[in-house]
Amino acid sequence: MPGGPRRAIFLELFFDLVFVATLVQLSRGLMRDLGWGGAFQTLVLLLAMWWTWSITTWTTNLYDPQRMEIQFLVTATMLGSLLMVAALPEAFGARGLVFAGAYVAIHVGRQVYFVLALRGHQLQRRSLRLLFWFGVSAVPWFAGALAAGTARPALWALAVAIDYTGGILRFPTPGLGRSPESDFPVLAEHLAERYRQLFIIALGELILVTALTLGGTGFAGDRIVAFVVAFAGTVLFWRIYVYRAGNLLPDAITAAGRPDSLARWAALAHLIMLAGIVATAVGDELVIAHPLDAAEPAWVAVILGGPALFLAGRAGFEYTVFARVSRPLLTGILVLAVLAPPLLLAPPLLVAAAALAVLVGVAGADTVRARRHPAEPPSPPD
């Protein structure tokens, strides 16, 4: 609607609560299988849940969320998403059809509604394109749900690839072509606020995991120290995220020559940060439950890899806003990678302390930079 930037409404924040349960379920699934297979399955499920959140966010960006029809769609999507969350632990087992069916029903059903509601309107073609692509991806989604063994991860990876490819290419469709950029106008303040809300919700998963793990394992001194280290890491995630780029994203989207492209890059950056939070949640649980035990290589991988993924996503986020990446972020990723081999024989608490020291260094460098350059304007990439 005209009249300036629109803020997110409470219904959208309410919808984001689904993602707390999503991230908890994903981290638990990864905890059960810390091998490459488990990591791949977790990634596929995360991509499916992220696409559901993204399309819902674009829906409230494109249409007035104060309308009862849009509120009903968001609420129905929330119900379907909760079904997906409930099926997550057995998505690659006995609940595959529930997960795939809910996913397809959400996306196909939403576009069927818009195709019918927009009869005679030029924007009906936009929904027809999305309906075509979600119809195509529904085939591997259902085929994977009915398959067994390694076929299901492969087919669902194909389905996710189809969905994301359609979004990247703006849904080219036979007879309709692909959507012009004008079909996806961006309300900068609304979209930026949605990303910030989701990130804070995601940090809630880290707080939940650390509190529940400590409560379930006892209050021994080493576990309390591990709990404090995990909490400090969560605080630093928030600090590093918010510093400049998090606050200036609306201005960067507004200043961009192609705001829809910049919004897609911001979405990718947040997806990588979410993946880092899922891995970090697993690492925090391991550190609190086994602070001084002999670490396994997979434990070291998630304890250091979670912060590394977060910093990588944060670096992409910074590039989205400023068209450059600060040296502390890249240095932090490199140091975490270098620390992995010598820490393979260290206890989990020491590994977590090393990761925390890296995050402290990155946040400290940000503070020094803020004092030297107090008013750096956004400069998004072309």
Side-chain angles (χ1 to χ4, degrees):
M1 296 181 297
R6 187 180 69 225
R7 304 293 300 271
I9 65 174
F10 284 117
L11 177 63
E12 296 173 89
L13 183 58
F14 181 49
F15 173 77
D16 287 349
L17 294 177
V18 174
F19 241 80
V20 175
T22 296
L23 297 177
V24 169
Q25 293 281 49
L26 290 175
S27 61
R28 285 180 176 176
L30 183 58
M31 173 72 79
R32 289 191 296 268
D33 185 0
L34 277 176
W36 288 109
F40 179 75
Q41 292 180 8
T42 301
L43 176 60
V44 170
L45 297 175
L46 174 62
L47 289 172
M49 297 302 299
W50 173 254
W51 196 236
T52 302
W53 183 89
S54 295
I55 296 298
T56 304
T57 296
W58 276 100
T59 299
T60 55
N61 187 75
L62 294 168
Y63 303 99
D64 180 9
Q66 299 288 355
R67 293 181 63 93
M68 289 300 298
E69 305 97 312
I70 304 303
Q71 293 185 2
F72 175 80
L73 282 176
V74 173
T75 305
T77 300
M78 187 176 184
L79 175 61
S81 299
L82 282 174
L83 284 176
M84 293 170 64
V85 171
L88 277 175
E90 291 293 326
F92 286 96
R95 299 291 182 264
L97 193 57
V98 175
F99 183 86
Y103 180 90
V104 172
I106 287 171
H107 294 290
V108 171
R110 176 163 43 205
Q111 299 313 318
V112 167
Y113 167 77
F114 281 124
V115 167
L116 296 176
L118 294 171
R119 288 190 304 271
H121 197 287
Q122 61 178 357
L123 290 181
Q124 185 188 48
R125 295 164 65 89
R126 176 176 63 195
S127 294
L128 283 170
R129 295 184 182 98
L130 269 71
L131 180 60
F132 171 81
W133 276 85
F134 283 122
V136 171
S137 71
V139 175
W141 274 117
F142 282 124
L146 298 173
T150 58
R152 182 176 298 177
L155 286 167
W156 281 6
L158 173 62
V160 167
I162 291 172
D163 286 335
Y164 278 72
T165 300
I168 293 171
L169 300 179
R170 298 204 305 275
F171 307 103
T173 303
L176 296 174
R178 69 173 183 167
S179 292
E181 292 184 11
S182 59
D183 272 4
F184 298 96
V186 176
L187 293 173
E189 185 64 29
H190 174 263
L191 203 59
E193 187 173 2
R194 295 295 292 119
Y195 287 135
R196 290 193 293 253
Q197 286 175 346
L198 181 65
F199 183 79
I200 293 299
I201 287 289
L203 290 184
E205 191 234 351
L206 293 180
I207 293 174
L208 181 64
V209 166
T210 54
L212 292 180
T213 304
L214 180 64
T217 57
F219 289 80
D222 54 352
R223 289 191 171 93
I224 292 177
V225 172
F227 171 79
V228 172
V229 169
F231 175 74
T234 302
V235 173
L236 288 170
F237 273 17
W238 165 79
R239 175 66 178 82
I240 294 170
Y241 174 85
V242 170
Y243 171 72
R244 293 200 177 188
N247 290 325
L248 294 178
L249 180 60
D251 295 334
I253 295 177
T254 302
R258 296 180 57 189
D260 64 322
S261 177
L262 187 143
R264 287 186 175 91
W265 280 110
L268 176 60
H270 281 80
L271 174 60
I272 296 172
M273 284 188 281
L274 284 181
I277 288 175
V278 171
T280 300
V282 176
D284 287 349
E285 185 171 350
L286 289 169
V287 171
I288 296 172
H290 311 279
L292 300 178
D293 292 354
E296 300 177 8
W299 296 11
V300 176
V302 291
I303 295 171
L304 297 179
L309 275 174
F310 168 75
L311 292 178
R314 180 57 178 76
F317 188 33
E318 182 168 299
Y319 181 78
T320 299
V321 175
F322 295 115
R324 54 100 178 125
V325 177
S326 62
R327 187 175 300 172
L329 289 171
L330 299 179
T331 302
I333 298 170
L334 178 61
V335 171
L336 288 169
V338 171
L339 286 175
L343 290 176
L344 287 175
L345 300 178
L349 181 55
L350 180 59
V351 180
L356 180 63
V358 172
L359 293 175
V360 169
V362 173
D366 282 345
T367 301
V368 172
R369 187 183 187 89
R371 292 174 178 175
R372 294 177 178 175
H373 307 281
E376 183 180 10
S379 179
D382 295 332

